[in-house]
Amino acid sequence: MAKRKMSIADFKDYKKRGQKFAYVTAYDYTMASIVNESDCEVILVGDSLAMVMLGRKTTVGITLDDMIHHIKPVVLGAPNTFVVGDMPFGSYNISAEQAIASANRILMETNCDCVKLEGGVEYKDTIAAMVKAGIPVMGHIGLTPQTATSLGGFRVQGGTPESAKKLIEEAKALEAAGAFSIVVECVPSVVAAALSKAVEIPILGIGAGPDVDCQVLVTQDMLDMYGDFKPKFVKHFAHIRKAMVDGLNAFHEETVSGVFPSEDIPLIKM
């Protein structure tokens, strides 16, 4: 039996009922279809594809067209999973009008369920304008990879009383602007717990400890597929990279030895 797809209303309802949920990434049709068969409720087509799929050092440089290209097949592959389309750097930081136009393209061309953008208080008016225009918006605070350089790199955020207070103010501002949920990345667990209590919308934590409403991980990280870097907060739930390499090596060995194709493999006949 196919799982029931989450709705925007479910996000707040899940929080009220204390029902946690899981949020992973996908960047293509095949991975999306695999997630769709799983119990995970939400997929992010993130600008992290710049690093995970394209081998770049940062998420900056991915274009709106790039994102739309990847979001489309994910939506097709995951009809029973809530799909979030990430807004890349440069697609919303000029004006609210630019943000609305970019989000309109993502939603209209891909049929995903919402957009996500990074930033705190400085984007509350932009988010408010987007929501007023009928665009469902997911926020993202804490470590914001698009501006990680200005934050001193990929480092924990909210580690001082002042910065923790600022994060709470940002979460409240995004909620007031109309965001229906907020990703909080790489913050101390005590701060994430305070954030979850400070707002009525779900806090979706990645590297933010256990006291949040939803856990977020990059699929290639959690399945041990991405070999370049492993964040400290990632747990390997499977070792798919090794299984794939082992399979490729077995194919190579049988090809070289002549074992494959064998008599039990049907051959194409004239």
Side-chain angles (χ1 to χ4, degrees):
M1 181 178 178
K3 65 186 177 187
R4 184 184 72 84
K5 181 174 179 175
M6 278 187 76
S7 67
I8 296 286
D10 284 329
F11 279 76
K12 200 168 185 178
D13 184 53
Y14 276 29
K15 175 158 185 156
K16 283 182 180 178
R17 293 193 277 119
Q19 181 175 339
K20 295 195 175 186
F21 53 103
Y23 184 176
V24 297
T25 58
Y27 312 108
D28 58 43
Y29 177 88
T30 300
M31 184 62 77
S33 68
I34 293 169
V35 176
N36 196 63
E37 286 188 30
S38 79
D39 294 328
C40 294
E41 292 92 347
V42 184
I43 288 175
L44 169 66
V45 189
D47 60 4
S48 50
L49 72 88
M51 303 171 74
V52 177
M53 303 297 286
L54 305 181
R56 300 183 184 178
K57 299 301 181 184
T58 73
T59 63
V60 176
I62 286 293
T63 67
L64 188 61
D65 287 339
D66 292 332
M67 291 306 306
I68 290 170
H69 174 80
H70 283 268
I71 298 167
K72 283 180 179 179
V74 171
V75 171
L76 292 174
N80 303 114
T81 308
F82 189 96
V83 178
V84 182
D86 220 354
M87 297 188 69
F89 183 80
S91 68
Y92 60 91
N93 57 359
I94 294 175
S95 66
E97 291 75 18
Q98 182 207 25
I100 291 170
S102 297
N104 282 346
R105 277 200 62 197
I106 291 173
L107 294 173
M108 293 172 68
E109 295 181 34
T110 72
N111 202 33
C112 68
D113 298 291
C114 78
V115 296
K116 179 179 76 66
L117 60 83
E118 297 179 9
V121 174
E122 69 274 19
Y123 285 105
K124 63 182 178 62
D125 292 338
T126 296
I127 291 173
M130 295 170 71
V131 172
K132 186 177 180 181
I135 298 165
V137 179
M138 177 180 289
H140 184 155
I141 59 176
L143 173 61
T144 47
Q146 292 176 7
T147 54
T149 301
S150 63
L151 297 174
F154 289 83
R155 296 180 178 179
V156 173
Q157 303 297 306
T160 66
E162 295 77 15
S163 59
K165 182 180 178 182
K166 182 183 177 183
L167 282 175
I168 292 173
E169 291 172 353
E170 290 185 333
K172 289 181 176 180
L174 297 191
E175 180 182 36
F180 71 91
S181 59
I182 305 172
V183 171
V184 175
E185 182 169 357
C186 209
V187 303
S189 58
V190 64
V191 176
L195 286 168
S196 191
K197 292 178 181 178
V199 295
E200 294 183 4
I201 58 176
I203 295 297
L204 320 173
I206 177 168
D211 299 314
V212 291
D213 304 296
C214 168
Q215 292 294 333
V216 185
L217 283 177
V218 171
T219 302
Q220 280 80 356
D221 286 343
M222 63 176 284
L223 297 183
D224 194 16
M225 296 172 67
Y226 182 62
D228 292 356
F229 173 69
K230 178 182 177 294
K232 292 180 180 179
F233 55 78
V234 168
K235 175 181 177 178
H236 287 155
F237 289 86
H239 298 284
I240 303 302
R241 187 185 185 94
K242 183 180 185 303
M244 293 175 75
V245 172
D246 288 347
L248 290 166
N249 285 340
F251 168 61
H252 177 266
E253 180 181 350
E254 290 195 11
T255 296
V256 171
S257 66
V259 171
F260 176 83
S262 57
E263 291 182 358
D264 60 329
I265 303 296
L267 299 178
I268 297 174
K269 297 181 180 180
M270 295 294 291

